[in-house]
Amino acid sequence: MKSLLFLLSCLQLLGAAAADYKQWLPNTNFETAANWEEGRVPCASDTIHFEWDKVISVFVKSHHAVKDMYLPLNGEFILASGAGFAAFDGSWDPGCDSGSAARFGDAEGLSWFNPALWQPLQQGGRLFAVDEERVPCRYDDVIFEPETSFRVNVDSSRGVIHLRSVSLMGQTFTSTAALAQYLQGPSALLQFHGNSTFQVTGTACPDKSGCVCGNAQNGHRICAGRRCPEAACPSPLRPLGHCCEVCGAMVYLEFTPDFDLQQYRDRLVQTFLSLPQYAGVQMAISKVHEAQPFLGMALRSSAPVIQIVLVEEQGGSGTGAAAGQMAADILGDIAQHGEALGISSGRMEVASGTGSIFSGQTGISTWRRVLTETVLGLLCGLLLLGGVLFLYRRGTLRLWAVRVPWPWGRAQGPAGLEPASSKGFENPMFDVPPPGAAARKDARREAALPDTQVFYLNPLYDASEAEA
């Protein structure tokens, strides 16, 4: 009850609108059975072992009788009111007939960037988040449940973790300076370890179209050790920011300054997710930097788009057919109301039971892509021509005129031309004439009129240079 009241006060203090709350799930409490290797809380006749070389902070909520307990060299016990330890007097303890060794588990490997260790408090039901956005984003509020202890590794690729606020040990920090003062205390040194510092702004995302999460650089940490289930469809899709491939559909939207992400999310929930035919579909929607191929690599572009991921709930058909139909309905809705919603164009990808299908909605972005491809083609052509001219000017490349006689007869050639006496044409690159070639060449030269020869004139060819 106290935890619930604390969370409600945090929501009121920080403003529930336009804020995402992520709560850290693991703890190092003495009374949490999962923290002990035996899967149970030690009883009075047990011998309790804390590894001597492990740094640990342990919150104790109640009173415990202890027979033997081995403590670490660097650690602390945080005692709630009325909590503590007392020596075991040997009296009978129900359920604790024979004493055994009870070992506290290792909390060193709990990483900040493990999406399975965070719980989004405002999501649930039909909405979910891709893996990068399950970890706290730069404008999120982070909550460590009160009356708990924890230890988390904050190693990151950037060395800085950006947040809106942090709530821990019953305190809420909305500025970097206030949090820094807490982090210098003895408890914080046991709770956080790693190479990162925290930057806390106290402000929400300033853009009504949403903000990019900012965890892309730590994507390898987020997906480390992740075991993805085998997709049920032959050509699954992998959403941006997600570790595993999915069967379903993805919709990408390009937007104008009038687009409002929260309002559009509500529209999709009320207009589509509430329909009976989509009862098994879950949705994730957020702003992302779209991946663009470059030299065989997929790089995130600077222009953001809105990504909508549609998948079927566990226990559904798994083919993604319902998600694909919903994606098509979303594009149909955009075709009718996109301008009013602040959406300039949209396209979708569908992974169904028969394979991967791509379709799109014609819009401003389509013409922009066509124009871009045309301009790139012209630039490549100009660069190629410029390279040829450069090599010619330097003398590296020589272009020669080739004189070729008309190879067809009078009936096929232009009027007034004599028919050639043999098929084919002379190859100036071939030096060895075939038997009888000289005689045939003299005969053709005597029979042909001066105007029967056709020349391919090369404006770059200099006759005086050829003679030299």
Side-chain angles (χ1 to χ4, degrees), residues 124-169:
R126 311 294 297 282
L127 298 178
F128 74 100
V130 295
D131 292 321
E132 284 186 8
E133 295 168 17
R134 291 181 61 187
V135 176
C137 301
R138 63 182 302 118
Y139 291 105
D140 285 349
D141 298 294
V142 170
I143 296 176
F144 292 90
E145 188 177 0
E147 298 185 355
T148 60
S149 54
F150 59 90
R151 183 161 175 81
V152 53
N153 186 338
V154 293
D155 280 337
S156 72
S157 299
R158 303 179 64 180
V160 179
I161 297 176
H162 296 271
L163 301 170
R164 182 190 182 190
S165 71
V166 179
S167 299
L168 51 85
M169 303 304 291

Side-chain angles (χ1 to χ4, degrees), residues 10 13 31 86 112 136 144 166 187 199 206 216 231 235 276 290 329 381 408 410 427 464:
C10 289
L13 175 64
E31 288 82 9
W112 178 280
F144 292 90
V166 179
S187 293
Q199 293 289 330
S235 300
E290 189 174 11
D329 290 346
W408 298 283
R410 183 185 299 274
N427 189 341
S464 60

Side-chain angles (χ1 to χ4, degrees), residues 51 66 72 113 129 173 176 180 184 204 251-252 274 292 330 368 428 442:
E51 296 295 332
V66 177
F113 291 100
F173 302 94
T176 300
Q184 294 174 0
V251 179
Y252 293 100
S274 61
Q292 300 289 348
I330 290 175
R368 185 184 297 123
D442 294 339

Side-chain angles (χ1 to χ4, degrees), residues 146-225:
E147 298 185 355
T148 60
S149 54
F150 59 90
R151 183 161 175 81
V152 53
N153 186 338
V154 293
D155 280 337
S156 72
S157 299
R158 303 179 64 180
V160 179
I161 297 176
H162 296 271
L163 301 170
R164 182 190 182 190
S165 71
V166 179
S167 299
L168 51 85
M169 303 304 291
Q171 303 179 67
T172 300
F173 302 94
T174 58
S175 70
T176 300
L179 180 60
Q181 186 175 359
Y182 172 84
L183 294 177
Q184 294 174 0
S187 293
L189 297 177
L190 304 176
Q191 295 166 346
F192 300 99
H193 67 104
N195 66 358
S196 290
T197 59
F198 292 96
Q199 293 289 330
V200 181
T201 63
T203 59
C205 172
D207 192 342
K208 68 177 183 179
S209 66
C211 292
V212 176
C213 178
N215 284 331
Q217 292 185 345
N218 288 289
H220 62 288
R221 300 178 187 272
I222 293 172
C223 295

Side-chain angles (χ1 to χ4, degrees), residues 381-411:
L382 291 174
L383 288 174
L384 179 60
L385 179 59
V388 172
L389 293 176
F390 175 76
L391 293 175
Y392 172 75
R393 294 292 185 184
R394 293 189 59 182
T396 306
L397 179 67
R398 291 186 177 274
L399 303 176
W400 302 92
V402 179
R403 192 172 87 175
V404 182
W406 192 268
W408 298 283
R410 183 185 299 274

